[in-house]
């Protein structure tokens, strides 16, 4: 069964450093999402992406964040200058736009020290 | 205002018994979808069940059923015959907007941690 993959599974970085989280959505999917979950809290929407542009973003998704689909398969989330409060699990999700389900990847745990 | 409310931070149930996890929602959009996800300790998000706002019947998927009460804006998850492997965090989520149109984000509740005791 096709699945969303994310790399790395765990990333440790120092405050102020740039990180790129990578996702490979399901191949025929057209809509892509990033969510984050601070430890012990609920999952929060960050951004949705369709047709090579951002469809919607939350107030969390400030100028420090950017997303890109650099080729036909990868979907990346970049944080330019990480803060301690960026420590969280980051989930990528995708959907084909026809069905109702968003397929989630296994997540990348980001730890900012 | 909270769009999705899960009032039970923690629940426990005896193995083989049924359990209901509560979820209420708030939306003015006539088209919406309600989802339940399971998050085990390993962290991944596992889709369990979906209910569309226009669906006439309550959704069922194996041991999972969704008790959808539209007038009360509730979408409770019922797990029948609980198993030890059901111990996890459970999130209720909503997508506002038509059923297709993939750019509608999911809005999650705070979750309920379920412990199944032998």
């Amino acid at each position: 069964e096709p699945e969303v993959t994310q790399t790395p599974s765990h990333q440790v970085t120092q405050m102020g450093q740039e990180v790129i989280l990578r996702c490979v959505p399901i191949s025929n999917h057209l809509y892509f999402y990033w969510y984050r979950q601070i430890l012990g809290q609920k999952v929060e929407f960050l951004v949705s992406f369709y047709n090579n542009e951002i469809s919607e973003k939350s107030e969390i998704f400030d100028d420090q964040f950017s997303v890109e689909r650099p080729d036909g398969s990868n979907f990346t989330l970049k944080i330019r200058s990480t803060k301690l409060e960026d420590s969280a699990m980051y989930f990528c999700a995708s959907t084909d736009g026809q069905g109702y389900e968003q397929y989630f990847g296994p997540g990348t745990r980001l730890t900012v020290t | 205002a909270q769009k999705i409310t899960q009032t039970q931070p923690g629940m426990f149930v005896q193995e083989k018994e049924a359990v209901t996890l509560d979820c209420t929602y708030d939306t003015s959009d006539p088209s919406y979808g309600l989802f339940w996800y399971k998050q085990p300790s390993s962290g991944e998000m596992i889709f369990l069940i979906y209910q569309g706002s226009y669906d006439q019947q309550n959704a069922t998927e194996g041991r999972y059923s969704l008790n959808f009460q539209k007038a009360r804006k509730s979408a409770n998850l019922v797990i029948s015959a609980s198993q030890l492997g059901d111990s996890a965090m459970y999130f209720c989520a909503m997508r506002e907007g038509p059923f297709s149109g993939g750019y509608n984000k999911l809005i999650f509740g705070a979750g309920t941690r379920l412990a199944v005791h032998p």
Side-chain angles (χ1 to χ4, degrees):
Chain A
E1 186 175 331
E3 58 183 17
V4 178
T5 59
Q6 290 186 243
T7 55
S9 56
H10 190 192
Q11 172 107 35
V12 181
T13 189
Q14 289 192 325
M15 196 167 51
Q17 295 294 304
E18 174 183 287
V19 294
I20 297 176
L21 310 182
R22 301 181 194 281
C23 168
V24 179
I26 295 173
S27 63
N28 63 335
H29 285 190
L30 302 173
Y31 301 85
F32 314 113
Y33 309 81
W34 284 101
Y35 295 85
R36 81 168 187 192
Q37 183 184 30
I38 295 171
L39 186 64
Q41 297 186 24
K42 67 179 177 182
V43 179
E44 300 173 290
F45 167 76
L46 290 178
V47 66
S48 58
F49 191 85
Y50 170 69
N51 201 25
N52 280 321
E53 60 183 26
I54 291 174
S55 306
E56 186 178 357
K57 59 184 180 180
S58 71
E59 60 272 13
I60 302 168
F61 194 89
D62 61 22
D63 293 345
Q64 293 300 311
F65 291 87
S66 62
V67 289
E68 194 176 39
R69 187 153 162 85
D71 52 43
S73 59
N74 289 283
F75 179 50
T76 62
L77 174 69
K78 182 194 290 185
I79 310 175
R80 287 191 184 81
S81 177
T82 50
K83 306 182 187 103
L84 294 176
E85 54 265 38
D86 293 327
S87 294
M89 180 77 98
Y90 288 81
F91 291 103
C92 173
S94 70
T95 179
D96 61 7
Q98 301 301 314
Y100 48 77
E101 184 180 347
Q102 285 186 20
Y103 293 80
F104 278 75
T108 293
R109 182 167 300 284
L110 176 66
T111 303
V112 182
T113 61
Chain B
Q2 293 271 14
K3 292 265 190 175
I4 296 284
T5 303
Q6 295 180 254
T7 57
Q8 307 152 314
M11 290 278 287
F12 70 88
V13 64
Q14 292 293 125
E15 197 178 5
K16 297 179 187 166
E17 301 209 334
V19 63
T20 298
L21 307 184
D22 295 341
C23 174
T24 58
Y25 60 93
D26 184 29
T27 181
S28 56
D29 197 317
S31 296
Y32 54 90
L34 297 156
F35 301 75
W36 278 91
Y37 283 85
K38 173 185 178 181
Q39 187 177 44
S41 57
S42 50
E44 71 267 33
M45 297 291 286
I46 302 169
F47 167 75
L48 295 178
I49 197 166
Y50 167 82
Q51 179 85 43
S53 60
Y54 294 119
D55 292 344
Q56 295 297 314
Q57 294 192 324
N58 287 346
T60 60
E61 289 285 349
R63 293 187 299 112
Y64 304 108
S65 60
L66 202 151
N67 184 2
F68 181 46
Q69 297 187 45
K70 196 169 182 178
R72 298 178 62 181
K73 293 190 174 178
S74 75
N76 299 339
L77 177 70
V78 181
I79 306 174
S80 62
S82 298
Q83 301 171 355
L84 295 178
D86 294 335
S87 294
M89 194 76 164
Y90 288 81
F91 290 99
C92 180
M94 177 175 65
R95 188 179 74 192
E96 292 173 308
F99 304 144
S100 59
Y103 49 83
N104 301 103
K105 64 182 183 286
L106 292 180
I107 304 162
F108 285 83
T112 296
R113 184 167 299 282
L114 177 66
V116 180
H117 295 173

